[in-house]
Amino acid sequence: MNDTPAPTAPALVSSARGLTYDIAIIGGGAAGLSTAASILKRKPGITVAIVEPSGSHFYQPGWTLVGGGVFKQSQTRRSEKKLIPAGADWVQAAASGFDPDGRIVHLSNGSSLRYSILIVATGIMLDWDAIEGLPEALGRNGVTSNYRYDLAPYTWQMVQTLGRGNAVFTQPPMPIKCAGAPQKAMYLACDAWRKRGIADNINVSFHTATPGLFGVKDYVPALMEYIERYRIDLQLKSNLVAVDGPRQVATFSNVGADGVTTKSEVEFAMLHAVPPQRAPDVIRNSPLAGADGFVAVDPATLRHVKYDDIFALGDVAGTSNAKTAAAVRKQAPIVAVNALAALEGRPMVADYDGYGACPLTVERGKIVLAEFAYGGKLAPSLPKWVLDGRRPTHLAWLLKEYVMPLLYWDGMLKGRELMVEPRPLCGKS
């Protein structure tokens, strides 16, 4: 006979004043929901709170395909309430402060909760205001971004209606979520213009603040082939600093080969802008933050370097892996088993190798599937004879369009750990 209590339906908690949980999870995005589901699958009956203010949940990897005319906007949005795993409480508020010594989280609604184990999964903050004039320019005069749910359809609208002129795509300094997304938008646009027969009328440039096209060298040759095929003007160490929407002028800060920084203005008919990104203020200004503002965790166990009862994963974790949904899919079960071990006073039991993935949509129907771990080490999920991620393949596109959304909605968010079961921790506690 099984004496384990059956999971209860998720409950919406309007106030957490005085409530105490075995595990409190801050953030109900991909990282928070996946970890909660993995925890409750392993140990139903423990008390789990998910602190998340938004009533909607977004499949952000799909926004590139919305901006490329492949997905509808509605395919990337679902009700948060329907995704909270059975057995967890949903506290619909935001964290406003942390007291790790007292094991207390203060909330935006004036209440607070206590925990035995804290898991931080707040995500990353998109700092639109860091680029002068950008917030006011978005959504008009050809200025768009696939990094916002409401703007991705405008990207596709611009791609469809643009007939000539300068199309400018930008990438800010690292770290950012999905570092390949800025150029993915560009490749899909170029492919659409090529198929319409107007590519010769559009001058495409890619201004990236980074010193290279992509951070893992093994994937650069294939990407450079597309840079050349689409005749893209690649501008390295070029950072967008201002936008004048009415004039349709973008200003860039450029670092030359001699190390001297200059500014330049570029006129545009279309501008796909990506803002710089940083840890949320509530994290940056808390005892949880490291020198970079992100939660200071051990890169293997994802446990806080100072507080043994705190873990972090996803975009807010201060680790060097790519900030992608694929990384979260690997991290969530690792944090789940380690958090449960900590709850029971046991040593850590699993570690994370830094796995992340970036499906680079180089044209409609083909993808360069970049998969890599810490240090840029290649980490393919499939044998090379099935799929060589260093080359563009149709199989990788099918995975992106059909398989990955299913893995997200019906797999990781529900605690199903296909090909990501935690590996045992080797000689470390």
Side-chain angles (χ1 to χ4, degrees), residues 97-106 114-115 118 287-288 307 310:
F98 297 91
D99 176 3
D101 294 316
R103 292 184 173 179
I104 297 171
V105 178
H106 300 288
R114 295 179 179 272
Y115 61 83
L118 178 68
L288 310 186
Y307 302 104
I310 297 177

Side-chain angles (χ1 to χ4, degrees), residues 33-54:
L33 290 174
S34 301
T35 306
S38 288
I39 287 170
L40 289 166
K41 183 184 74 172
R42 288 177 167 83
K43 199 170 181 64
I46 67 169
T47 56
V48 176
I50 299 174
V51 178
E52 170 56 51
S54 177

